[in-house]
């Protein structure tokens, strides 16, 4: 029997059982042991109800319900006080979110606490960078915090945590300075080729291009004493004649010289909390000693703004920095080491007073229980903790989330209930390394693996208003694009009326193609979708309104500074909160379509396109070298083709299916939902056991192909010694990815265990 015939055969075969058991599902579904009556009425359990599509009116009603004035009020409330993870401020907002969700009509809302390692500046001892003269007198000392500004409405930034490098060890180091540009591996290679090293020196790096933790680890590995990181005006204001005209905060969106970016300096991304890697940080969980935890840094670091950096950089000695290393300050950028003999400064002191502490954090989880499939979850999440008052990151997302949940609650009050459950998540301690979401996913991993349909994340909902940045697992992209066609672009735009129109014109998938779709990237890293993607393979989406296209710096200039206030949104970014409303509409409609449709709106052939692209990249980049080694890509090509064929056939079958049996719907939906799990390798990637997603994992060496195979091939091609071992690794990774892709294809075809 051909597999498609088997599907039909089995579909028919299970109709009889299905009718009976389907009705039982209706009565006894979910952990509560009963189905919700709201919306189901007396027809509960009959076949028509089990097979019904979502109520047609809800999509439109949800959109209309979402109200920008309420989002503004939520944001005003959320940005009144600091809400740093592990502090009273964050707990107070956790309670506020929980209460709000109950008031809005969610069925339940609870706090999910964990105890995690966090990091705070010593309240009594300032961290700073200083220039010292020959007698150790201080000539200059960096500012303890960003100065307050007179604003209407006021923003009390004096209560925001002072700038610091979270998880830095405390300590004082003194010595010469070396400028390392962005602190990328390529920067260190170039520096060393010019005969300059950071060993025994204090490094100074500018923010951007690579994570804080990686900058610090690279310095640590090369024997640096410590690291100073600053925001260069080239990155936060721009360069060229236009730069001087760009308005700085509080007049505008660009970074003033007093603004300092906070952040965590852990190395790595997907371990979760540093002392309980891989397991939830519950009270009874075994904890590593700090000395045993790999992501924690061992040399001190401290961030400063560009006014303070000017004092350090302008005093430096040594060769001129290469032209691409020069930033936007009015000085000659030099590499160091050492300070100019003509000046009085003789050395730099870096003093860091930062403590690590295990403290409680509080996720909030709110649920609207599904009417027919309460054991299938569509999750919407955003983190709540902030380094600052949270005007953008994350409270623009939190205010949008609260409006999405309110709109859904209003629909419930009107008698609607989604087919599947909606789960709203307010994460804590994202800023410290996504601890809230990681610990929760570690804790509930088995349940989520079985039941999570999709995870939809919004972090900084509105950081600018130029275009939409959409990231999605391939099979989810079509549902996102469909929702974007329903959401109006909030202001009049020459590109069109809907979000889809403007998005595809301003950030096209293919440049200069009039028929292009909008650009949708893969959700690889950067916010709370990471545990869902990398640990358990839940298809995920991440959304933001952003500026790229008009401004290159990928983060907005005031990111993690004290100046990301309510004022920044109200007076500068989104005064009428129309983009916040549009984000809530897009988020809500995407979630509704996933929660309500009889058959999940996932398109698996999109995954085939992504795999095909990765294969093509591998062939272009390394095909010749692989051929010389006698390594054939034939089997991998066969697996990719098998996957593509299976995915296309599956999509076609689902599209054409006339569903008369709820068990058949459930069977298709399970296959749709579980496909992403097939790309999870429980063993993880080589040397990176917590990166379990074989397609979405970050790649260590830039390339657009399969992560582990691409990295292994890069190493084999570029290694001088021991190439036999390196080529053996290529063979191994080639076979692993081939097996994984073919296994994924099998989940779409084989209903019997015949092969
Ligand atoms: C600002 O916050 C600090 C710390 O919470 C508080 O002591 C101070 O009174 C606040 N200032 C204003 C003007 O609200
Ligand atoms: C971990 O810490 C405990 C208590 O401080 C100490 O007894 C033990 O020797 C440490 N173990 C390691 C491996 O550092
Ligand atoms: C150079 O830049 C620094 C830091 O932004 C500033 O304080 C100083 O006034 C500037 N000097 C000149 C001559 O523009
Ligand atoms: C692809 O499918 C064909 C036909 O079923 C099969 O012979 C081949 O072994 C499959 N490829 C892989 C890599 O398993
Ligand atoms: Zn954030």
């Amino acid at each position: 029997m051909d597999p498609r015939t088997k599907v039909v055969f089995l579909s028919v075969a299970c109709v009889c059982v299905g009718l009976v058991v389907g009705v039982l599902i209706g009565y006894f579904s979910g952990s509560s042991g009963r189905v919700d009556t709201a919306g189901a009425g007396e027809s509960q359990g009959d076949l028509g109800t089990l097979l019904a599509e979502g109520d047609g009116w809800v999509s439109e009603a949800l959109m209309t319900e979402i109200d920008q004035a309420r989002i503004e009020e939520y944001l005003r409330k959320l940005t009144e006080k600091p809400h740093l993870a592990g502090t009273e401020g964050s707990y107070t907002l956790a309670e506020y979110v929980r209460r709000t969700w109950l008031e809005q009509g969610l069925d339940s809302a609870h706090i999910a606490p964990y105890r995690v390692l966090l990091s705070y500046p010593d309240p009594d001892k300032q961290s700073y960078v200083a220039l010292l003269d020959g007698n150790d007198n201080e000539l200059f000392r960096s500012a303890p915090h960003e100065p307050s500004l007179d604003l209407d409405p006021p923003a009390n930034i004096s209560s925001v945590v002072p700038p610091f490098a979270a998880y830095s060890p405390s300590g004082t180091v003194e010595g010469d300075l070396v400028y390392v540009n962005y602190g990328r591996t390529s920067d260190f290679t170039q520096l060393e080729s010019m005969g300059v090293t950071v060993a025994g020196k204090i490094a100074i790096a500018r923010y951007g291009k690579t994570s804080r933790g990686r900058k610090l680890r690279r310095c640590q590995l090369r024997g640096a004493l410590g690291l100073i990181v600053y925001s260069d005006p080239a990155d936060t204001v721009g360069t060229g004649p236009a730069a001087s005209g760009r308005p700085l905060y509080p007049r505008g969106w660009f970074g003033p010289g007093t603004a300092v970016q906070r952040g965590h300096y852990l190395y790595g991304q997907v371990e979760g909390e540093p002392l309980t890697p891989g397991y939830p940080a519950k009270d009874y969980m075994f904890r590593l000693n700090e000395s045993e935890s790999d992501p924690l840094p061992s040399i001190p670091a401290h961030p400063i703004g560009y006014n303070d950096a000017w004092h350090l950089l302008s005093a430096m000695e040594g060769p001129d920095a290469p032209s691409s290393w020069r930033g936007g300050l009015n000085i000659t950028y030099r590499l160091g080491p050492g300070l100019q003999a003509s000046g009085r400064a003789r050395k730099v002191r870096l003093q860091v007073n930062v403590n690590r502490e295990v403290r409680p954090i509080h996720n909030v989880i709110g649920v609207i229980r599904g009417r027919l499939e309460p054991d299938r979850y569509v999750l919407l999440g955003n983190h709540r903790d902030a380094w600052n008052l949270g005007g953008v990151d994350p409270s623009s997302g939190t205010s949008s989330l609260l409006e999405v949940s309110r709109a859904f609650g209003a629909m419930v009050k009107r008698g609607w209930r989604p087919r599947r459950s909606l789960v709203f998540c307010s994460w804590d301690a994202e800023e410290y390394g996504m601890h809230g979401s990681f610990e929760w996913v570690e804790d509930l991993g088995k349940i989520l693996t079985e039941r999570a349909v999709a995870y939809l994340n919004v972090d900084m909902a509105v950081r600018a208003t130029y275009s939409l940045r959409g990231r999605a697992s391939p099979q989810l992209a079509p549902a996102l694009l469909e929702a974007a066609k329903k959401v109006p672009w909030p202001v009049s735009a020459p590109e069109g009326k809907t979000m889809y129109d403007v998005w595809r014109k301003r950030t096209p998938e293919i440049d200069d193609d009039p028929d292009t779709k909008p650009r949708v990237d893969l959700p690889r890293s950067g916010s709370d979708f990471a545990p869902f993607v990398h640990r358990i393979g839940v298809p995920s989406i991440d959304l933001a309104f952003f500026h790229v296209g008009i401004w290159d710096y990928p983060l907005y200039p005031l990111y993690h500074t004290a100046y990301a206030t309510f004022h920044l949104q109200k007076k500068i970014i989104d005064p009428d909160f129309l983009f916040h409303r549009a984000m809530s509409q897009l988020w809500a409609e995407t979630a509704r379509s996933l929660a309500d449709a009889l058959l999940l709106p996932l398109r698996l052939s999109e995954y085939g396109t992504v795999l095909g692209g990765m294969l093509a990249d591998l062939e272009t980049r390394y095909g010749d070298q692989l051929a010389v080694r006698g390594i054939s890509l034939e089997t991998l090509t066969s697996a990719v083709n098998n996957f593509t064929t299976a995915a296309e056939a599956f999509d076609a079958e689902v599209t054409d299916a006339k569903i008369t049996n709820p068990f058949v719907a459930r069977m298709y939906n399970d296959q749709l939902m579980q496909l992403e799990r097939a790309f999870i390798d429980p063993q993880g990637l080589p040397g990176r056991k917590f990166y379990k997603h074989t397609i979405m994992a970050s790649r260590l060496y830039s390339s657009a192909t399969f992560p582990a195979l691409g990295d292994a091939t890069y190493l084999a091609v570029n290694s001088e010694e021991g190439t036999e071992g390196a080529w053996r690794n290529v063979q191994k990774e080639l076979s692993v990815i081939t097996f994984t892709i073919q296994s994924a294809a099998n989940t779409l075809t084989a209903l019997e265990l015949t092969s």
Side-chain angles (χ1 to χ4, degrees):
M1 229 187 275
D2 130 298
R4 308 256 69 78
T5 324
K6 286 179 200 165
V7 172
V8 173
F9 171 76
L10 270 165
S11 309
V12 173
C14 69
V15 162
C16 314
V17 185
L19 279 176
V20 176
V21 185
V23 167
L24 291 181
I25 286 187
Y27 285 110
F28 298 110
S29 51
S31 54
S32 65
R34 64 181 163 80
V35 87
D36 260 85
T37 51
E42 64 275 17
S43 65
Q44 174 191 74
D46 83 26
L47 200 53
T49 307
L50 297 177
L51 294 172
E53 286 293 340
D55 291 322
W57 59 271
V58 176
S59 170
E60 188 67 37
L62 257 183
M63 297 267 182
T64 318
E65 182 70 33
I66 289 169
D67 171 18
Q68 64 272 25
R70 288 188 194 258
I71 303 178
E72 178 174 346
E73 276 322 299
Y74 286 133
L75 187 69
R76 191 191 298 277
K77 160 81 189 167
L78 293 164
T79 55
E80 267 168 11
K81 291 185 183 148
H83 35 112
L84 183 61
T87 67
E88 191 62 31
S90 184
Y91 179 70
T92 305
L93 281 193
E95 278 297 345
Y96 166 73
V97 168
R98 193 182 66 83
R99 274 198 322 275
T100 303
W101 280 347
L102 292 174
E103 283 161 19
Q104 289 175 345
L106 273 59
D107 296 310
S108 70
H110 71 273
I111 289 188
Y114 299 94
R115 292 179 59 80
V116 304
L117 187 72
L118 299 171
S119 166
Y120 303 92
D122 189 316
D124 304 318
K125 281 187 264 157
Q126 190 197 325
S127 297
Y128 65 88
V129 180
L131 281 173
L132 306 181
D133 71 10
N135 298 319
D136 281 0
N137 297 315
E138 271 186 27
L139 303 169
F140 156 78
R141 182 189 273 225
S142 60
H145 49 73
E146 291 119 313
S148 284
L149 301 158
D150 190 19
L151 296 177
D152 177 32
N156 187 356
I157 66 168
S158 69
S159 53
V160 167
V161 73
F164 75 113
Y167 297 108
S168 168
S170 289
T172 304
V173 294
E174 293 180 358
D176 284 334
L177 271 187
V178 170
Y179 176 57
V180 300
N181 198 25
Y182 292 108
R184 295 169 293 194
T185 301
S186 58
D187 293 327
F188 284 104
T189 307
Q190 196 173 348
L191 193 66
E192 282 146 22
S193 76
M194 294 180 285
V196 182
T197 77
V198 294
K201 310 281 189 273
I202 298 173
I204 181 164
R206 50 171 159 162
Y207 270 123
K209 312 281 190 201
T210 179
S211 75
R212 300 173 211 94
R214 284 170 193 239
K215 291 180 206 284
L216 185 55
R217 179 60 58 103
R218 290 180 190 127
C219 291
Q220 187 178 307
L221 289 173
R222 288 168 176 79
L225 300 175
L227 171 66
I228 300 162
V229 189
Y230 79 102
S231 310
D232 196 283
D235 301 306
T236 61
V237 188
T239 49
S244 60
R246 298 203 173 106
L248 308 183
Y249 188 85
R251 285 189 306 109
W253 186 71
F254 294 93
T258 52
V260 189
Q261 183 189 134
R262 294 149 186 75
H264 82 75
Y265 282 70
L266 294 175
Y267 179 71
Q269 296 283 323
V270 301
E271 289 84 354
E273 194 265 337
L275 303 184
T276 59
Y279 297 100
K282 295 168 101 64
D283 286 342
Y284 63 75
M285 189 53 65
F286 178 82
R287 277 154 218 261
L288 299 177
N289 284 358
E290 290 183 22
S291 61
E292 298 169 302
S293 171
D294 181 63
L296 291 171
S298 60
I299 60 169
H302 189 64
I304 57 176
Y306 62 79
N307 282 356
D308 284 350
W310 182 89
H311 290 272
L312 303 174
L313 293 168
S314 63
M316 283 177 70
E317 185 61 78
D320 285 6
S323 59
S324 64
W325 288 36
R326 290 174 206 153
L329 287 168
N330 53 14
I331 56 159
T332 303
Y333 283 73
R334 299 180 197 282
L335 298 177
L339 299 167
Q340 288 161 23
S342 57
R344 286 164 58 213
R346 287 294 159 267
K347 63 182 174 189
V348 170
R349 172 186 290 160
L350 166 63
Q351 179 165 136
V352 174
N353 296 297
V354 168
N355 304 320
R356 297 173 186 159
E357 284 173 55
V358 173
R359 290 197 193 177
I361 59 166
H362 304 93
N363 298 326
V364 192
I365 308 295
V367 179
I368 294 177
R369 205 176 314 108
R371 184 168 47 96
L372 295 171
E373 302 188 66
D375 64 333
R376 289 293 176 264
Y377 310 145
V378 174
L379 301 110
L380 300 84
N382 152 267
H383 73 93
R384 191 185 61 254
D385 66 302
W387 287 122
N388 43 37
L389 296 170
V392 176
D393 179 7
S395 306
S396 68
T398 317
S399 55
S400 306
L401 179 65
L402 289 176
E403 184 58 4
V404 170
S405 55
R406 194 192 63 77
F408 275 118
M411 298 304 114
V412 170
K413 287 173 187 168
R414 289 194 218 168
W416 171 82
R417 197 161 266 281
R419 180 180 191 90
R420 305 179 181 84
S421 295
L422 289 165
V423 179
F424 299 89
C425 313
S426 169
W427 309 118
D428 206 349
E430 188 272 353
E431 296 295 7
Y432 283 89
M434 307 173 222
H435 299 340
S437 53
F438 262 102
E439 298 315 297
W440 194 74
V441 167
E442 287 172 346
D443 197 0
L444 276 68
K446 303 295 181 201
I447 294 176
L448 296 170
T449 296
E450 289 188 355
R451 305 182 192 163
V453 169
Y455 173 70
L456 315 179
N457 191 71
V458 174
D459 186 331
M460 304 174 225
V462 187
R463 37 174 122 152
T465 58
Y466 176 69
S467 188
L468 187 77
R469 182 195 199 196
R471 296 190 278 182
S473 302
Q475 70 277 41
L476 272 176
L480 178 62
L481 299 187
E482 282 312 304
K485 288 176 184 168
K486 293 188 182 174
V487 177
W489 186 256
V491 293
S492 90
E495 292 89 345
K497 289 203 177 334
T498 68
M499 186 172 308
Y500 183 87
D501 296 333
V502 177
W503 180 13
R504 78 189 189 93
K505 287 280 165 54
R506 293 192 183 172
T507 25
E509 181 177 63
I510 303 164
D511 288 336
D512 304 324
D513 175 353
D515 300 322
T516 183
K517 288 194 282 192
R519 177 173 169 175
V520 180
D521 296 325
L522 296 179
R524 288 187 187 279
S525 68
S527 191
D528 292 296
F529 54 82
F532 291 90
V533 170
H534 294 293
R535 285 292 182 77
I536 54 176
V538 172
S540 296
I541 286 180
D542 183 61
L543 303 171
F545 281 112
F546 78 154
H547 50 275
V548 171
I550 48 167
W551 174 252
D552 284 341
Y553 194 53
L555 294 162
Y556 72 105
L558 297 169
Y559 170 76
H560 289 184
T561 74
Y563 300 135
T565 56
F566 182 78
H567 170 90
L568 178 63
Q569 288 292 359
K570 181 67 191 163
K571 294 285 159 59
I572 298 163
I573 299 179
D574 190 19
D576 298 321
F577 287 81
L578 296 175
F579 285 87
H580 282 78
R581 181 181 67 186
M583 177 59 75
S584 296
Q585 290 172 329
L586 180 66
W587 202 0
E589 172 57 17
T590 309
R592 188 209 58 78
S593 70
L594 290 160
D596 241 4
L598 173 61
L599 294 177
L600 291 170
L602 303 180
R603 290 288 166 267
L604 305 186
S605 47
E606 300 281 328
Y607 230 116
T609 307
V610 167
L611 299 180
M614 290 185 166
L615 178 61
D617 183 78
L618 184 73
E619 281 167 340
T620 315
R621 205 174 297 259
Y622 299 121
D624 293 348
Q625 280 122 317
L626 290 164
V628 166
R629 282 269 152 185
I631 298 176
S632 161
L633 296 180
E634 204 178 310
T635 332
L636 175 60
T637 306
S638 152
V640 171
N641 289 342
N642 288 353
F643 180 89
T644 306
T645 307
E648 284 170 358
F650 192 91
D651 284 351
E653 185 175 319
V654 170
T655 309
D656 295 343
K658 304 270 177 293
I659 304 290
T660 52
N661 172 354
F663 263 1
V664 175
R666 183 76 173 208
M667 181 178 70
Y668 284 140
N669 284 336
D670 280 356
Q671 285 173 289
L672 287 163
M673 176 180 89
Q674 292 288 339
L675 175 77
E676 188 87 35
R677 270 63 137 189
F679 292 105
I680 292 288
D681 185 337
Q683 308 207 49
L685 268 62
R688 298 190 289 156
K689 65 180 178 183
F690 293 117
Y691 278 98
K692 298 186 189 295
H693 199 298
T694 53
I695 304 299
M696 301 285 188
S698 66
R699 288 159 297 200
L700 301 176
Y701 310 100
S702 68
S703 147
T705 191
F706 308 103
L709 177 57
D711 285 346
T713 311
Y714 172 92
L715 286 177
V717 166
N718 291 288
S719 69
E720 288 151 23
E721 315 272 328
T723 49
E724 276 321 307
W727 285 105
R728 271 173 68 76
N729 280 338
V730 173
Q731 300 269 20
K732 175 179 169 249
E733 295 311 327
L734 175 61
S735 66
V736 169
I737 194 67
T738 301
F739 167 75
T740 305
I741 293 170
Q742 182 61 42
S743 298
N746 292 346
T747 70
L748 304 178
T749 52
L751 288 181
E752 287 167 22
L753 299 174
T754 49
S755 56

